[in-house]
Amino acid sequence: MKRFPKHFTWGSATASYQIEGAARADGKGESIWDRFSRMPGRVANGDTGDVACDHYHRYEEDIQLMKELNLASYRFSVSWPRIFPEGTGAVNQKGLDFYKRVIDTLMTNGITPAITLYHWDLPQAMQDRGGWMNRDMAEYYLEYANRMFTEFGDVVPSWITLNEPWVVSYLGYGSGEHAPGYTDMYAHFQAAHHLLLAHGKAVASFRELNRNPDSRIGITLNMNSTYPAKEGEAYERAARLWDGFLNRWFCDPVFKAAYPQDMIDAYERYQPVSFIKEGDLQQIAQPIDFLGLNYYSTAHMEPAESGEAGLTGANAFLGVRGVSTGRVVTDMGWEIQPEGLYDLLTRIKRDYGDVPLYITENGAAYPDHVDADGQVNDDERVDYLHQHLAACHQAIEDGVDLRGYYVWSLLDNFEWAFGYDKRFGIVHVDYETQKRTPKKSAYWFRDVIRNNGL
Ligand code: FCB
């Protein structure tokens, strides 16, 4: 038996837009995903989060499920437009009440809440002011964050400022696959900077407010291990550039108060980085209590010609391309490589020091269905989770301070541009009836938690 440390936190993660539904209920404002999902061709099947898992009305049932599965912690996100329908100014009390009910129900059931403040559903009214391209967004975000700290900071012990700022800025502003759907690499870097600034401001304010001396704050990044696809200097360079773009652009400012010079150089070949102002990096580098990692796959990179046909977005910008290595893939087409998780965990310790780490997301999509006996036999997901937990265990054995693991996701849900086509849950959701059916992986995970080991 591979045992985990005594106080290891076991949990599951979700995000507001992906599960709540109730898109216009009780005074909620429009979010950029409400808008984006209605634009033709943006989301598979024209799916929207209007109803999703209807968690807004079924949170009690869902929390009972968590309890049955032995989950000790639940990572969920707050929908900013439920709290501030216009992004700033007037507060929607009913929105606050919803999260109060969720938090109370969790605590009554002995489940520790972990709140993500921003998991992508920006109020549309904020987008109308330029969204994350607008530097003022950091102040608006701070207003929202402060309200949440004031409201729930005494009881909620764990706070995450942002979920995956790279995805927000790159998929939202660079490649355009996510809301708001822009395709401008400069906008990406700018948005990323303002997101980091928002993060730093919130951390500083969290300390100042000090609602509960035992509570902790951190950020969640989607870091990958990036490898050269082949031996050779050009391949090493390609991997290093992608690492700079995806990983170091976020980790370096947070931990070292500096952007990676190779990325600044890449950017400045085209345009000056005038959006970085005096004092910003000090603001961003507020000490955090933990780093959250969302890990799914790896990247194997090779050099490409910037002008090459078919090369777009960051690939064209950096002159690199990811290639397949022939490993087995999940339903997302993402290659399964658990050693990449081990490499990532040990790398963070090596490059950024001994910061407490949490896996805030890890999981896999498969085309699950409920069989004639009412079972969902997702053996591939069990394998995936097993292999990745084994990698976590190995990293802990080798001295990494990994404190917890949140499976993505509790429920099948709205998988952004893929709509409801991709199922990541350990619990199956029938979207017609809203029936929840725990999959084999849910029972497996329940036992892992019970044994605190594999
Ligand atoms: C992550 C997101 C999460 C989910 C998983 C599959 O990038 O944080 O919302 O979509 O991927």
Side-chain angles (χ1 to χ4, degrees), residues 240-253:
R240 175 113 189 117
L241 275 175
W242 195 255
D243 177 59
F245 177 61
L246 180 74
N247 300 322
R248 289 179 286 116
W249 184 265
F250 296 89
C251 254
D252 283 18

Side-chain angles (χ1 to χ4, degrees), residues 9 32 81 113 128 131 164 195 216 294 314 320 349 354 387 420 429:
T9 301
I32 54 173
D128 297 342
E164 304 186 346
L195 281 153
R216 294 152 310 147
N294 293 352
V320 301
K349 181 176 158 96
D354 220 354
Q387 293 179 50
Y420 297 100
V429 176

Side-chain angles (χ1 to χ4, degrees), residues 18 119-120 163-164 167 294 296 334 361 408 415-416 424:
Q18 295 181 276
H119 200 131
W120 311 353
N163 181 67
E164 304 186 346
V167 172
N294 293 352
Y296 292 93
W334 297 345
E361 287 180 25
W408 184 271
E415 178 47 37
W416 309 112
F424 271 94

Side-chain angles (χ1 to χ4, degrees), residues 85 88 149 196 220 298 333 355:
T88 174
F149 297 151
L196 288 169
T220 280
T298 45
V355 55

Side-chain angles (χ1 to χ4, degrees), residues 39-57:
M39 296 177 186
R42 294 304 200 155
V43 174
N45 319 309
D47 290 343
T48 73
D50 283 3
V51 179
C53 309
D54 195 30
H55 174 77
Y56 189 79
H57 300 111

